[in-house]
Amino acid sequence: MALCYRAWAEIDLHAFQQNLDWIKFRVGGRKIISVVKADAYGHGLRQIAASLMQFGTDIFGVANLQEAAAVRTVGKGWPILMLGAAMPDEWPQLIKLRVRPTLSSLKEARGFSELATKSNLTLPVHIKVDTGMGRLGFQPSEFLQRYSELAALKGIQIEALYSHFSSAEDDAHFTRQQTTQFHAIIEALRIKDVSIPPLHLANSAGILFEQDSLHDFVRPGLLVYGVIPKGKRNLKSSLAKELLPVLSFKSRVTLVRQLPKGATVSYGHTYRVPKKMTIATLGLGYGDGLPREASNRGSILIRGKSCKILGRVTMDQTLVDASEIESEIQEGDEAVIIGASGDARLDVNDWAETCGTIPWAILTGITYRVPRIYKGGSAS
Ligand SMILES: *Cc1c(COP(=O)(O)O)cnc(C)c1O
């Protein structure tokens, strides 16, 4: 079926389930906030949400109201935490959908309190403290001053307190400072004799690198999709092997041609053919999510062999050197961007490195035009 397409992604739901099981095992009995923002990191929000409802998660983590509404259409009643800030005109809709907001200010807390009280309900909320991400959350001193006021507000119930790492895959020292500050804030609350709600801090890198950032909940994104948050910190290779990449990204050879020595290739003629060469045209480009930064740098796999990208990646087509496989290659052959071909493999992190970006951006860069094909699960 995939062969009707010029570019497609295969999503292995069995691998997805195994990753989820591995994370659950690794974090012991802690609850999982499965992060499904940005179309489940490009894997398809609805299918991934359906699989999570089947395999078991505790809370869905989304970026915004649209994503929360999409999860609601898949299954009723599941707890959803909005990780981004909700704007005041969105508050009634959050309450209607029973989406847990992330609160960073007393203003937001009072707003939700008032609206929820009017609707005669109690909305669970998660309060965020800023320990160095600088994006959302109370400043620690204000948080401590205001906490009893927050906790006393009617209509809202503090389901958890949390914070977010800015560099857990890169910077052990800064991450330690964030963890220490988070723990100090909690300790300061404890001294005031208030009851401490459940806590969460760890993202994927936290789960891998920071054992003491594992609290009552964890918030894995990248890891559930089987991708390591690769940064400057070294990961035990045995750990990396436990995870299975869920997504493969594939295309097909639309044409095979020979170009003579001196011919120029693609927009801007940035590549000149050094000697007679077999060149394959692929049916995908940056319009599908193959980064333009891969121009003249990246390689893809055909028949288990690495083929270098020649010249610029264009919107819909990309040219690769097929000299090494010129006697075998045929129009219609599969070209693997991410995934396995024969004994060779290309991973999301390989592309991130080639293109000077991060694995999150490679995955979420795969566009709407690429059909997602699900395997290995009873996907709805
Ligand atoms: C995106 C996000 C996560 C998940 O991050 P990963 O690094 O993909 O695990 C966790 N928490 C918050 C607040 C986020 O925004």
Side-chain angles (χ1 to χ4, degrees):
M1 171 167 80
L3 294 184
C4 336
Y5 302 113
R6 289 173 169 228
W8 70 98
E10 291 168 4
I11 312 294
D12 181 348
L13 294 173
H14 186 64
F16 181 73
Q17 179 175 16
Q18 280 191 248
N19 295 334
L20 201 62
D21 286 346
W22 181 80
I23 293 167
K24 286 178 184 169
F25 170 75
R26 172 143 180 107
V27 303
R30 294 171 172 93
K31 291 190 170 157
I32 312 279
I33 300 171
S34 300
V35 180
V36 296
K37 62 198 182 187
D39 203 29
Y41 289 46
H43 293 62
L45 175 55
R46 276 165 227 276
Q47 290 283 2
I48 291 296
S51 300
L52 283 166
M53 289 171 190
Q54 190 187 336
F55 304 148
T57 187
D58 296 288
I59 301 188
F60 286 89
V62 301
N64 59 42
L65 202 48
Q66 286 66 36
E67 293 174 352
V71 173
R72 279 280 174 266
T73 65
V74 178
K76 293 198 189 337
W78 289 84
I80 302 174
L81 168 63
M82 183 160 146
L83 298 165
M87 295 175 279
D89 60 351
E90 296 177 319
W91 295 351
Q93 189 66 16
L94 259 87
I95 290 179
K96 196 169 157 224
L97 289 173
R98 304 285 195 278
V99 173
R100 288 133 164 92
T102 291
L103 302 182
S104 301
S105 69
L106 204 56
K107 180 186 158 198
E108 292 170 297
R110 287 187 181 132
F112 276 105
S113 163
E114 204 172 297
L115 285 171
T117 309
K118 263 194 216 146
S119 315
N120 255 323
L121 57 88
T122 302
L123 185 72
V125 301
H126 289 223
I127 310 274
K128 194 161 197 180
V129 195
D130 185 5
T131 55
M133 180 64 188
R135 184 169 69 172
L136 298 171
F138 282 85
Q139 286 307 303
S141 58
E142 198 205 355
F143 172 76
L144 289 172
Q145 276 167 24
R146 301 296 198 170
Y147 188 77
S148 49
E149 207 173 324
L150 278 169
L153 285 170
K154 299 220 163 18
I156 62 173
Q157 173 251 330
I158 301 174
E159 183 173 64
L161 303 177
Y162 81 106
S163 192
H164 189 45
F165 288 136
S166 75
S167 350
E169 62 280 6
D170 283 320
D171 188 337
H173 179 71
F174 191 80
T175 306
R176 179 115 317 271
Q177 280 179 3
Q178 285 195 270
T179 308
T180 305
Q181 188 173 24
F182 189 63
H183 293 170
I185 293 162
I186 303 307
E187 207 39 51
L189 276 190
R190 221 184 284 282
I191 288 165
K192 291 186 177 187
D193 226 17
V194 297
S195 75
I196 309 293
L199 308 172
H200 51 99
L201 182 56
N203 54 0
S204 292
I207 291 169
L208 294 178
F209 295 109
E210 300 289 325
Q211 191 62 33
D212 66 353
S213 74
L214 307 180
H215 292 287
D216 304 281
F217 296 85
V218 292
R219 302 188 309 273
L222 205 58
L223 276 190
V224 270
Y225 307 102
V227 179
I228 299 289
K230 211 167 180 185
K232 295 195 187 82
R233 296 177 75 175
N234 281 327
L235 190 67
K236 264 196 261 145
S237 57
S238 59
L239 268 184
K241 283 198 205 100
E242 306 282 347
L243 294 155
L244 305 171
V246 173
L247 179 141
S248 304
F249 187 17
K250 297 182 177 176
S251 180
R252 295 180 77 199
V253 173
T254 55
L255 200 62
V256 180
R257 294 160 73 236
Q258 293 211 317
L259 287 188
K261 176 177 178 187
T264 57
V265 172
S266 194
Y267 289 124
H269 54 81
T270 59
Y271 184 80
R272 192 177 286 274
V273 175
K275 58 176 196 302
K276 190 174 147 198
M277 208 176 207
T278 300
I279 294 184
T281 308
L282 309 182
L284 97 166
Y286 62 77
D288 302 280
L290 179 64
R292 193 166 173 275
E293 289 70 25
S295 300
N296 282 314
R297 298 171 77 170
S299 300
I300 57 89
L301 304 170
I302 301 171
R303 294 179 179 252
K305 289 269 159 47
S306 175
C307 302
K308 255 184 85 59
I309 294 174
L310 304 178
R312 289 195 183 143
V313 172
T314 77
M315 187 189 289
D316 315 303
Q317 303 177 69
T318 301
L319 303 155
V320 299
D321 178 2
S323 304
E324 247 196 87
I325 46 170
E326 63 185 357
S327 54
E328 309 130 72
I329 189 170
Q330 282 181 7
E331 278 107 8
D333 275 359
E334 185 177 278
V336 174
I337 322 306
I338 296 168
S341 171
D343 295 332
R345 250 207 86 79
L346 279 170
D347 286 311
V348 176
N349 276 303
D350 298 325
W351 287 100
E353 198 177 317
T354 301
C355 300
T357 183
I358 53 172
W360 296 265
I362 297 290
L363 283 175
T364 58
I366 299 172
T367 67
Y368 70 95
R369 167 159 102 174
V370 176
R372 272 65 168 175
I373 294 161
Y374 296 87
K375 300 179 156 182
S378 54
S380 65

